[in-house]
Amino acid sequence: MDEKIDNHIGTNNLTYQTETFQKLSNKEKLKFLDSIVKQKNNNAGVFLNRIYAEEKDKNIQKHIRALLHKLKTTGISIEEPKTSGEPVLKKIEEKRAHIGLLSNYDEFNIRVVFLAFEVKKNNFILLYGNIHFKDGLVDLVTLPVDKKEIDDIIYRFRYDINKKLVIVNVSFCYAGYILEEASKRSGKYRDEIFQMRKITSHVKDTIQKPEDIYNLECPETTRPMELEKILAHIILEPFSLTWSSMEEDNKAFNLTNSSSLILPPYMIEEKRQALLKSILEKDDIKLIFPYIRRMLEDYAYIFYNLKELPYYKGIVNCLQDPTTPSNVALYFIRKSLEENEPADEDKDKEGIIINPYG
């Protein structure tokens, strides 16, 4: 048997040689191995590597490794032996935790974004940003914290009733996208955001950009909520719009219902609609239409994570209409003007009644 294998060493039939070797007993294998190493050539090294990969007995494997080392010391080029199947010690890829949270806008048109990533077990870098609706990222705090500190910070924000904030979990990548987007708008904290994105560039989530929000899984039977009801939802209640000529427009809005001229309701409404339309044409209002669209996309994601699917689907449907941002702006402009109207008891009830029919 030894001679049969020996006669084939140096040929290209490694499969035959290996199969023949495996039929030997352990005693015969050891005897053959001691004889083959005397050849001291590359063919012997190739063959030893091949049978090492197929060998099951640990003592035989150990003997083959010793022979390979012996050949290597004589100047023969030898590859490290490779085993088939799973290695004894697997390289464990450590999974790091990543956290993203997003709030709605408060009464100051500020929302918060939390972004945390684990740098080593139970140790995180936390980024906490304040984002203004128009101005973008206005404040950013970066802290090294542990998991308990993160939980405590989030708990304080999530359950502080006075802040009237709704904070929901969002994908880590999307929270990072929002911070980067807001940083570009304000021009602040660009270096900090760049470093954060660089360190966490390997993280991949299903939701990474606004366009991903449109494809979230939602039952076909879900009935989309109307835009008017969406805007009246409690999480949009604190939001408001301001613009440069707001004070003058507010006076004009109130004059349509002046105590000195008592007009029929439909005429008052016509005058107010004309005023509102003129405000929509102002440059500083037109500039915020893209911001309104982004706000709606973010709120769709918030509604989805709150399991309020009719509101999510309603926003997604409404955003297919390009006039939606201007319609939303109109809603909040009117809301701002009406909130500044004098109370009924402050109005002088005496006045001239105008007959619209002459």
Side-chain angles (χ1 to χ4, degrees):
M1 182 70 75
D2 290 8
E3 290 179 356
K4 188 174 182 181
I5 301 178
D6 194 40
N7 289 337
H8 286 82
I9 294 299
T11 70
N12 293 325
N13 194 356
L14 286 176
T15 301
Y16 172 79
Q17 295 165 356
T18 303
E19 290 177 350
T20 305
F21 178 81
Q22 292 300 333
K23 294 176 182 178
L24 301 177
S25 66
N26 283 357
K27 185 177 180 180
E28 289 172 325
K29 287 179 180 180
L30 290 171
K31 183 179 178 182
F32 172 73
L33 289 171
D34 288 335
S35 65
I36 193 178
V37 77
K38 295 175 183 178
Q39 293 187 22
K40 295 182 180 180
N41 57 37
N42 289 337
N43 292 333
V46 171
F47 178 71
L48 289 173
N49 260 316
R50 179 65 180 266
I51 60 175
Y52 182 88
E54 302 295 331
E55 184 56 52
K56 307 299 181 186
D57 188 278
K58 291 183 179 180
N59 289 328
I60 302 295
Q61 281 188 329
K62 183 178 179 181
H63 195 68
I64 294 171
R65 286 199 300 270
L67 294 176
L68 285 167
H69 177 71
K70 188 175 181 181
L71 285 173
K72 195 172 183 178
T73 57
T74 63
I76 297 172
S77 178
I78 301 291
E79 292 184 5
E80 290 300 316
K82 299 176 182 179
T83 59
S84 60
E86 295 291 330
V88 176
L89 294 176
K90 296 181 182 179
K91 182 181 178 181
I92 300 175
E93 184 179 345
E94 192 170 4
K95 292 184 178 180
R96 302 294 189 188
H98 300 88
I99 301 169
L101 293 108
L102 175 65
S103 84
N104 59 323
Y105 286 102
D106 64 13
E107 61 269 30
F108 304 106
N109 283 3
I110 296 284
R111 64 177 173 175
V112 294
V113 177
F114 289 98
L115 193 112
F117 54 94
E118 195 174 22
V119 289
K120 61 180 181 179
K121 189 173 179 59
N122 203 39
N123 287 275
F124 292 77
I125 298 297
L126 171 69
L127 283 80
Y128 158 52
N130 284 326
I131 298 176
H132 187 270
F133 172 72
K134 290 182 182 178
D135 301 333
L137 186 61
V138 293
D139 191 27
L140 182 70
V141 176
T142 305
L143 297 170
V145 293
D146 60 29
K147 185 62 170 64
K148 184 180 182 304
E149 288 173 313
I150 290 178
D151 292 340
D152 289 344
I153 292 170
I154 294 171
Y155 181 89
R156 288 199 299 272
F157 274 90
R158 196 188 295 273
Y159 298 104
D160 186 347
I161 298 173
N162 293 326
K163 287 187 176 292
K164 298 178 182 177
L165 291 180
V166 174
I167 299 181
V168 299
N169 292 89
V170 295
S171 81
F172 175 84
C173 289
Y174 194 72
Y177 176 91
I178 289 175
L179 278 180
E180 187 171 17
E181 176 187 53
S183 174
K184 288 177 181 177
R185 191 183 303 174
S186 69
K188 296 181 178 180
Y189 307 105
R190 299 294 295 274
D191 290 341
E192 291 88 338
I193 300 299
F194 175 78
Q195 289 301 322
M196 177 274 297
R197 296 293 269 178
K198 185 178 179 181
I199 294 170
T200 62
S201 61
H202 64 285
V203 181
K204 304 298 178 186
D205 287 318
T206 304
I207 307 300
Q208 301 194 73
K209 295 183 177 181
E211 50 263 36
D212 299 327
I213 293 170
Y214 291 82
N215 301 314
L216 292 171
E217 207 171 305
C218 187
E220 292 183 5
T221 55
T222 303
R223 183 177 178 180
M225 192 65 69
E226 299 87 350
L227 182 60
E228 193 82 10
K229 290 184 178 179
I230 292 170
L231 299 178
H233 192 282
I234 190 170
I235 74 169
L236 281 108
E237 187 180 324
F239 181 76
S240 61
L241 280 183
T242 58
W243 57 99
S244 57
S245 61
M246 187 174 177
E247 187 175 346
E248 293 81 3
D249 293 331
N250 190 68
K251 290 177 182 177
F253 188 82
N254 291 335
L255 280 174
T256 61
N257 197 21
S258 170
S259 59
S260 61
L261 296 174
I262 301 177
L263 300 174
Y266 81 90
M267 289 190 69
I268 294 175
E269 184 58 26
E270 284 178 357
K271 287 180 176 291
R272 289 187 167 185
Q273 287 294 340
L275 176 62
L276 291 169
K277 186 177 179 181
S278 69
I279 296 173
L280 275 180
E281 294 300 318
K282 295 179 184 293
D283 289 339
D284 56 344
I285 292 295
K286 286 183 176 180
L287 285 173
I288 66 173
F289 286 175
Y291 303 161
I292 289 175
R293 183 179 184 84
R294 284 290 300 111
M295 178 182 76
L296 291 174
E297 288 171 335
D298 292 342
Y299 274 56
Y301 195 10
I302 290 174
F303 279 127
Y304 187 86
N305 288 335
L306 289 173
K307 310 300 182 187
E308 297 200 38
L309 299 185
Y311 287 88
Y312 159 76
K313 195 169 184 178
I315 292 178
V316 169
N317 283 6
C318 287
L319 286 175
Q320 308 306 315
D321 182 351
T323 66
T324 292
S326 62
N327 291 335
V328 172
L330 183 63
Y331 174 90
F332 283 108
I333 289 169
R334 180 158 195 154
K335 180 184 174 186
S336 295
L337 295 175
E338 287 178 344
E339 286 176 348
N340 289 317
E341 269 193 291
D344 288 341
E345 56 268 22
D346 296 333
K347 296 178 182 177
D348 184 356
K349 298 303 180 182
E350 294 183 1
I352 303 171
I353 299 177
I354 302 297
N355 182 353
Y357 302 106

